[in-house]
Amino acid sequence: MAAPYGTLDCEDFSMFQEMLRAMRTIDDRIVHSLNTTVPTVSFSGKVDATQTCKQLYQSMMEAHLSRDKAIKTCITQASEVVGQLREARTKDGDNLALIKQLRKEQTKLKLMQSELNVEEVVNDRSLKVFNERCRIHYTPPKVK
């Protein structure tokens, strides 16, 4: 369930947010996925819960990594634009259109950076739910 959406549109922040929302569906549906695929104790003989949990974990990690990479790529691009506009402002400090554009790009950069915090919360929530349901069936490898 990695992002089949390609790259995020870093230019338009509303499109950036919309693509992130679409990329977060695996996390939004984690409880439903676990309820429908991981059996309760009484039905544990009918499904390989270990394999199911492992696959779900791998899908979740791929989604987390692709979103993290996409957000950081957009932050880098926005930072470069802000840097270029700051440089241009030092040469032409009275250009109101330039100052307005710089403020707009700085705001967009701050909003993108705040998405990293949102991402951390979404990932933590998903991992918590995953661990509650799958800890007896599958133990993910230790990260870092």
Side-chain angles (χ1 to χ4, degrees):
M1 294 268 284
Y5 310 101
T7 56
L8 283 179
D9 178 2
C10 299
E11 294 299 311
D12 180 357
F13 186 74
S14 61
M15 283 300 297
F16 170 82
Q17 277 190 311
E18 195 56 42
M19 291 301 287
L20 276 177
R21 192 172 297 118
M23 292 170 79
R24 286 180 177 139
T25 54
I26 189 171
D27 292 277
D28 294 340
R29 297 182 182 156
I30 187 80
V31 172
H32 179 263
S33 295
L34 287 166
N35 286 342
T36 56
T37 59
V38 178
T40 57
V41 176
S42 58
F43 292 101
S44 60
K46 296 185 173 93
V47 177
D48 184 357
T50 302
Q51 190 59 32
T52 302
C53 285
K54 183 178 181 179
Q55 287 172 342
L56 183 59
Y57 180 79
Q58 288 170 339
S59 295
M60 205 169 54
M61 288 300 102
E62 285 173 23
H64 291 183
L65 285 172
S66 69
R67 289 195 312 259
D68 186 64
K69 183 180 175 193
I71 293 169
K72 287 179 178 171
T73 299
C74 284
I75 287 173
T76 301
Q77 287 178 17
S79 295
E80 289 169 2
V81 170
V82 166
Q84 292 165 356
L85 288 170
R86 280 189 179 140
E87 216 174 275
R89 186 188 64 188
T90 58
K91 295 175 186 160
D92 185 10
D94 297 331
N95 185 337
L96 287 176
L98 187 65
I99 293 169
K100 190 174 182 181
Q101 182 67 25
L102 175 60
R103 284 191 191 130
K104 180 181 169 201
E105 291 297 325
Q106 286 173 325
T107 300
K108 182 170 79 172
L109 176 59
K110 286 177 188 163
L111 290 170
M112 287 178 174
Q113 289 168 333
S114 73
E115 283 298 326
L116 279 177
N117 296 331
V118 171
E119 191 64 20
E120 187 178 342
V121 170
V122 168
N123 293 353
D124 288 348
R125 187 187 125 254
S126 295
L127 285 170
K128 181 176 182 259
V129 170
F130 175 85
N131 286 329
E132 286 170 2
R133 283 299 302 276
C134 281
R135 69 176 173 252
I136 60 172
H137 303 293
Y138 174 71
T139 304
K142 295 288 179 215
V143 182
K144 295 175 194 147

Short mmCIF file of all heavy atoms in Angstrom, two decimals, residues 4-46:
data_model
loop_
_atom_site.label_atom_id
_atom_site.label_comp_id
_atom_site.label_asym_id
_atom_site.label_seq_id
_atom_site.Cartn_x
_atom_site.Cartn_y
_atom_site.Cartn_z
N PRO A 4 0.94 5.13 -4.41
CA PRO A 4 0.94 5.04 -5.86
C PRO A 4 0.70 6.40 -6.48
O PRO A 4 0.39 6.53 -7.63
CB PRO A 4 -0.24 4.10 -6.14
CG PRO A 4 -1.17 4.35 -5.00
CD PRO A 4 -0.31 4.71 -3.82
N TYR A 5 0.83 7.42 -5.66
CA TYR A 5 0.48 8.76 -6.08
C TYR A 5 1.64 9.50 -6.70
O TYR A 5 1.52 10.66 -7.05
CB TYR A 5 -0.06 9.55 -4.87
CG TYR A 5 -1.13 8.80 -4.15
CD1 TYR A 5 -0.85 8.12 -2.97
CD2 TYR A 5 -2.42 8.72 -4.66
CE1 TYR A 5 -1.83 7.39 -2.32
CE2 TYR A 5 -3.39 8.00 -4.00
CZ TYR A 5 -3.09 7.34 -2.84
OH TYR A 5 -4.05 6.62 -2.20
N GLY A 6 2.81 8.85 -6.78
CA GLY A 6 3.97 9.53 -7.34
C GLY A 6 4.51 10.54 -6.35
O GLY A 6 4.56 10.29 -5.16
N THR A 7 4.89 11.68 -6.87
CA THR A 7 5.47 12.69 -6.00
C THR A 7 4.41 13.70 -5.58
O THR A 7 3.42 13.89 -6.28
CB THR A 7 6.62 13.42 -6.73
OG1 THR A 7 6.09 13.96 -7.94
CG2 THR A 7 7.75 12.46 -7.06
N LEU A 8 4.66 14.32 -4.48
CA LEU A 8 3.75 15.35 -3.99
C LEU A 8 3.93 16.62 -4.80
O LEU A 8 5.02 16.92 -5.26
CB LEU A 8 4.05 15.67 -2.53
CG LEU A 8 3.57 14.69 -1.48
CD1 LEU A 8 4.00 15.16 -0.10
CD2 LEU A 8 2.08 14.55 -1.51
N ASP A 9 2.86 17.37 -4.94
CA ASP A 9 2.91 18.67 -5.57
C ASP A 9 3.36 19.66 -4.51
O ASP A 9 2.59 20.03 -3.64
CB ASP A 9 1.53 19.04 -6.12
CG ASP A 9 1.49 20.41 -6.76
OD1 ASP A 9 2.55 21.07 -6.83
OD2 ASP A 9 0.41 20.83 -7.19
N CYS A 10 4.61 20.08 -4.60
CA CYS A 10 5.17 20.96 -3.57
C CYS A 10 4.81 22.43 -3.80
O CYS A 10 4.96 23.25 -2.90
CB CYS A 10 6.69 20.82 -3.54
SG CYS A 10 7.25 19.15 -3.15
N GLU A 11 4.36 22.76 -4.98
CA GLU A 11 4.05 24.15 -5.31
C GLU A 11 2.77 24.63 -4.62
O GLU A 11 2.73 25.69 -4.04
CB GLU A 11 3.90 24.33 -6.83
CG GLU A 11 5.18 24.10 -7.60
CD GLU A 11 6.28 25.08 -7.21
OE1 GLU A 11 6.01 26.30 -7.18
OE2 GLU A 11 7.40 24.62 -6.91
N ASP A 12 1.74 23.84 -4.71
CA ASP A 12 0.42 24.21 -4.20
C ASP A 12 0.20 23.50 -2.86
O ASP A 12 0.05 22.28 -2.82
CB ASP A 12 -0.64 23.81 -5.22
CG ASP A 12 -2.06 24.15 -4.78
OD1 ASP A 12 -2.25 24.66 -3.66
OD2 ASP A 12 -2.98 23.90 -5.58
N PHE A 13 0.16 24.26 -1.76
CA PHE A 13 0.08 23.64 -0.44
C PHE A 13 -1.21 22.84 -0.25
O PHE A 13 -1.20 21.78 0.37
CB PHE A 13 0.23 24.67 0.68
CG PHE A 13 0.29 24.02 2.03
CD1 PHE A 13 1.42 23.34 2.44
CD2 PHE A 13 -0.80 24.05 2.88
CE1 PHE A 13 1.46 22.70 3.67
CE2 PHE A 13 -0.76 23.42 4.12
CZ PHE A 13 0.38 22.75 4.51
N SER A 14 -2.32 23.31 -0.81
CA SER A 14 -3.57 22.57 -0.64
C SER A 14 -3.49 21.21 -1.36
O SER A 14 -4.00 20.21 -0.86
CB SER A 14 -4.78 23.37 -1.11
OG SER A 14 -4.67 23.69 -2.46
N MET A 15 -2.83 21.17 -2.51
CA MET A 15 -2.63 19.89 -3.20
C MET A 15 -1.67 19.00 -2.42
O MET A 15 -1.85 17.79 -2.34
CB MET A 15 -2.09 20.11 -4.62
CG MET A 15 -3.13 20.57 -5.61
SD MET A 15 -4.48 19.38 -5.80
CE MET A 15 -3.62 17.97 -6.45
N PHE A 16 -0.66 19.61 -1.83
CA PHE A 16 0.30 18.91 -0.99
C PHE A 16 -0.43 18.21 0.15
O PHE A 16 -0.25 17.02 0.40
CB PHE A 16 1.32 19.94 -0.46
CG PHE A 16 2.25 19.44 0.61
CD1 PHE A 16 3.39 18.72 0.28
CD2 PHE A 16 2.02 19.74 1.95
CE1 PHE A 16 4.27 18.30 1.28
CE2 PHE A 16 2.89 19.32 2.95
CZ PHE A 16 4.02 18.59 2.60
N GLN A 17 -1.32 18.95 0.83
CA GLN A 17 -2.09 18.38 1.93
C GLN A 17 -3.03 17.28 1.45
O GLN A 17 -3.20 16.26 2.12
CB GLN A 17 -2.90 19.46 2.64
CG GLN A 17 -2.10 20.22 3.65
CD GLN A 17 -3.00 21.10 4.50
OE1 GLN A 17 -3.83 21.83 3.99
NE2 GLN A 17 -2.83 21.02 5.81
N GLU A 18 -3.66 17.48 0.31
CA GLU A 18 -4.60 16.50 -0.23
C GLU A 18 -3.88 15.18 -0.55
O GLU A 18 -4.38 14.10 -0.25
CB GLU A 18 -5.27 17.06 -1.49
CG GLU A 18 -6.50 16.32 -1.92
CD GLU A 18 -7.57 16.21 -0.85
OE1 GLU A 18 -7.83 17.21 -0.14
OE2 GLU A 18 -8.13 15.12 -0.70
N MET A 19 -2.69 15.28 -1.15
CA MET A 19 -1.92 14.08 -1.46
C MET A 19 -1.48 13.37 -0.18
O MET A 19 -1.52 12.14 -0.10
CB MET A 19 -0.70 14.43 -2.33
CG MET A 19 -1.07 14.88 -3.74
SD MET A 19 -1.99 13.64 -4.66
CE MET A 19 -0.70 12.47 -5.01
N LEU A 20 -1.08 14.14 0.82
CA LEU A 20 -0.71 13.52 2.10
C LEU A 20 -1.90 12.80 2.72
O LEU A 20 -1.76 11.70 3.25
CB LEU A 20 -0.19 14.57 3.09
CG LEU A 20 1.27 14.95 2.97
CD1 LEU A 20 1.62 16.04 3.96
CD2 LEU A 20 2.18 13.76 3.17
N ARG A 21 -3.06 13.42 2.64
CA ARG A 21 -4.28 12.81 3.18
C ARG A 21 -4.52 11.47 2.49
O ARG A 21 -4.82 10.47 3.14
CB ARG A 21 -5.46 13.75 2.99
CG ARG A 21 -6.69 13.33 3.76
CD ARG A 21 -7.80 14.38 3.72
NE ARG A 21 -7.38 15.64 4.36
CZ ARG A 21 -7.28 16.81 3.73
NH1 ARG A 21 -7.59 16.92 2.45
NH2 ARG A 21 -6.89 17.88 4.37
N ALA A 22 -4.38 11.45 1.18
CA ALA A 22 -4.57 10.20 0.43
C ALA A 22 -3.51 9.16 0.81
O ALA A 22 -3.82 7.98 0.95
CB ALA A 22 -4.53 10.48 -1.07
N MET A 23 -2.29 9.63 1.01
CA MET A 23 -1.20 8.71 1.36
C MET A 23 -1.35 8.17 2.78
O MET A 23 -0.76 7.14 3.13
CB MET A 23 0.15 9.43 1.23
CG MET A 23 0.53 9.76 -0.20
SD MET A 23 1.97 10.84 -0.31
CE MET A 23 3.29 9.66 -0.05
N ARG A 24 -2.13 8.83 3.62
CA ARG A 24 -2.31 8.40 5.01
C ARG A 24 -3.47 7.42 5.19
O ARG A 24 -3.77 7.05 6.32
CB ARG A 24 -2.52 9.62 5.91
CG ARG A 24 -1.25 10.41 6.14
CD ARG A 24 -1.47 11.61 7.03
NE ARG A 24 -0.20 12.30 7.26
CZ ARG A 24 -0.06 13.62 7.27
NH1 ARG A 24 -1.11 14.40 7.11
NH2 ARG A 24 1.11 14.15 7.48
N THR A 25 -4.10 6.99 4.11
CA THR A 25 -5.26 6.10 4.27
C THR A 25 -4.91 4.82 5.01
O THR A 25 -5.73 4.32 5.77
CB THR A 25 -5.92 5.76 2.92
OG1 THR A 25 -4.94 5.22 2.05
CG2 THR A 25 -6.59 6.96 2.29
N ILE A 26 -3.72 4.27 4.79
CA ILE A 26 -3.36 3.03 5.50
C ILE A 26 -3.38 3.27 7.01
O ILE A 26 -3.82 2.41 7.77
CB ILE A 26 -1.99 2.46 5.05
CG1 ILE A 26 -1.78 1.07 5.66
CG2 ILE A 26 -0.86 3.39 5.38
CD1 ILE A 26 -0.58 0.32 5.12
N ASP A 27 -2.94 4.43 7.44
CA ASP A 27 -2.94 4.74 8.87
C ASP A 27 -4.35 5.03 9.37
O ASP A 27 -4.71 4.65 10.47
CB ASP A 27 -2.02 5.92 9.16
CG ASP A 27 -0.57 5.56 8.92
OD1 ASP A 27 0.03 4.98 9.84
OD2 ASP A 27 -0.06 5.81 7.82
N ASP A 28 -5.13 5.69 8.55
CA ASP A 28 -6.51 6.00 8.94
C ASP A 28 -7.35 4.73 9.08
O ASP A 28 -8.29 4.69 9.86
CB ASP A 28 -7.18 6.92 7.91
CG ASP A 28 -6.53 8.29 7.86
OD1 ASP A 28 -5.84 8.66 8.84
OD2 ASP A 28 -6.70 8.98 6.85
N ARG A 29 -6.99 3.71 8.33
CA ARG A 29 -7.77 2.46 8.33
C ARG A 29 -7.11 1.32 9.08
O ARG A 29 -7.51 0.17 8.93
CB ARG A 29 -8.05 2.05 6.89
CG ARG A 29 -8.88 3.08 6.16
CD ARG A 29 -9.19 2.67 4.77
NE ARG A 29 -9.96 3.72 4.11
CZ ARG A 29 -10.00 3.91 2.82
NH1 ARG A 29 -9.35 3.10 2.02
NH2 ARG A 29 -10.71 4.89 2.30
N ILE A 30 -6.11 1.64 9.88
CA ILE A 30 -5.35 0.58 10.57
C ILE A 30 -6.25 -0.26 11.48
O ILE A 30 -6.14 -1.48 11.50
CB ILE A 30 -4.14 1.17 11.35
CG1 ILE A 30 -3.26 0.06 11.92
CG2 ILE A 30 -4.56 2.09 12.46
CD1 ILE A 30 -2.33 -0.55 10.95
N VAL A 31 -7.13 0.37 12.21
CA VAL A 31 -8.00 -0.37 13.13
C VAL A 31 -8.90 -1.32 12.33
O VAL A 31 -9.02 -2.50 12.67
CB VAL A 31 -8.84 0.59 14.01
CG1 VAL A 31 -9.86 -0.18 14.82
CG2 VAL A 31 -7.94 1.39 14.93
N HIS A 32 -9.48 -0.82 11.26
CA HIS A 32 -10.33 -1.66 10.41
C HIS A 32 -9.52 -2.81 9.82
O HIS A 32 -9.97 -3.96 9.82
CB HIS A 32 -10.96 -0.82 9.30
CG HIS A 32 -11.83 -1.62 8.39
ND1 HIS A 32 -11.36 -2.11 7.19
CD2 HIS A 32 -13.11 -2.03 8.50
CE1 HIS A 32 -12.34 -2.80 6.61
NE2 HIS A 32 -13.41 -2.76 7.38
N SER A 33 -8.33 -2.53 9.33
CA SER A 33 -7.48 -3.58 8.76
C SER A 33 -7.17 -4.66 9.77
O SER A 33 -7.23 -5.85 9.48
CB SER A 33 -6.16 -2.99 8.25
OG SER A 33 -6.39 -2.11 7.19
N LEU A 34 -6.83 -4.23 10.98
CA LEU A 34 -6.52 -5.21 12.02
C LEU A 34 -7.75 -6.02 12.42
O LEU A 34 -7.67 -7.23 12.61
CB LEU A 34 -5.93 -4.49 13.24
CG LEU A 34 -4.50 -3.98 13.06
CD1 LEU A 34 -4.14 -3.01 14.17
CD2 LEU A 34 -3.51 -5.13 13.01
N ASN A 35 -8.89 -5.35 12.52
CA ASN A 35 -10.12 -6.06 12.90
C ASN A 35 -10.54 -7.08 11.85
O ASN A 35 -11.10 -8.12 12.19
CB ASN A 35 -11.26 -5.07 13.14
CG ASN A 35 -11.10 -4.32 14.45
OD1 ASN A 35 -10.34 -4.73 15.33
ND2 ASN A 35 -11.79 -3.21 14.56
N THR A 36 -10.31 -6.79 10.59
CA THR A 36 -10.77 -7.70 9.54
C THR A 36 -9.74 -8.76 9.15
O THR A 36 -10.11 -9.75 8.53
CB THR A 36 -11.16 -6.91 8.27
OG1 THR A 36 -10.06 -6.13 7.84
CG2 THR A 36 -12.37 -6.03 8.53
N THR A 37 -8.47 -8.56 9.51
CA THR A 37 -7.46 -9.52 9.08
C THR A 37 -6.81 -10.32 10.20
O THR A 37 -6.37 -11.43 9.99
CB THR A 37 -6.34 -8.84 8.27
OG1 THR A 37 -5.73 -7.85 9.07
CG2 THR A 37 -6.87 -8.24 6.99
N VAL A 38 -6.73 -9.75 11.39
CA VAL A 38 -6.10 -10.45 12.51
C VAL A 38 -7.20 -11.11 13.33
O VAL A 38 -8.07 -10.44 13.85
CB VAL A 38 -5.27 -9.48 13.38
CG1 VAL A 38 -4.65 -10.23 14.55
CG2 VAL A 38 -4.18 -8.82 12.54
N PRO A 39 -7.14 -12.43 13.41
CA PRO A 39 -8.21 -13.14 14.11
C PRO A 39 -8.16 -12.98 15.62
O PRO A 39 -7.11 -12.73 16.19
CB PRO A 39 -7.94 -14.59 13.73
CG PRO A 39 -6.47 -14.65 13.50
CD PRO A 39 -6.09 -13.31 12.93
N THR A 40 -9.33 -13.14 16.21
CA THR A 40 -9.38 -13.20 17.68
C THR A 40 -8.87 -14.58 18.07
O THR A 40 -8.68 -15.45 17.22
CB THR A 40 -10.83 -13.02 18.17
OG1 THR A 40 -11.62 -14.03 17.57
CG2 THR A 40 -11.36 -11.63 17.83
N VAL A 41 -8.66 -14.80 19.34
CA VAL A 41 -8.11 -16.07 19.81
C VAL A 41 -8.95 -17.27 19.34
O VAL A 41 -8.43 -18.29 18.91
CB VAL A 41 -7.99 -16.06 21.36
CG1 VAL A 41 -7.50 -17.40 21.87
CG2 VAL A 41 -7.05 -14.95 21.81
N SER A 42 -10.27 -17.13 19.36
CA SER A 42 -11.14 -18.26 19.00
C SER A 42 -11.04 -18.62 17.51
O SER A 42 -11.34 -19.75 17.14
CB SER A 42 -12.59 -17.94 19.37
OG SER A 42 -13.01 -16.77 18.72
N PHE A 43 -10.63 -17.69 16.66
CA PHE A 43 -10.52 -17.97 15.23
C PHE A 43 -9.08 -18.05 14.75
O PHE A 43 -8.83 -18.09 13.55
CB PHE A 43 -11.24 -16.88 14.41
CG PHE A 43 -12.72 -16.90 14.57
CD1 PHE A 43 -13.35 -16.00 15.42
CD2 PHE A 43 -13.50 -17.84 13.90
CE1 PHE A 43 -14.73 -16.02 15.58
CE2 PHE A 43 -14.87 -17.87 14.07
CZ PHE A 43 -15.49 -16.95 14.91
N SER A 44 -8.14 -18.10 15.67
CA SER A 44 -6.73 -18.02 15.29
C SER A 44 -6.25 -19.19 14.44
O SER A 44 -5.25 -19.07 13.75
CB SER A 44 -5.85 -17.87 16.53
OG SER A 44 -6.03 -18.97 17.38
N GLY A 45 -6.95 -20.30 14.44
CA GLY A 45 -6.53 -21.44 13.63
C GLY A 45 -6.80 -21.28 12.15
O GLY A 45 -6.20 -21.95 11.32
N LYS A 46 -7.69 -20.40 11.77
CA LYS A 46 -8.10 -20.26 10.38
C LYS A 46 -7.22 -19.32 9.55
O LYS A 46 -7.26 -19.36 8.34
CB LYS A 46 -9.55 -19.79 10.31
CG LYS A 46 -10.53 -20.78 10.92
CD LYS A 46 -11.95 -20.31 10.71
CE LYS A 46 -12.94 -21.38 11.15
NZ LYS A 46 -13.37 -21.22 12.52
#
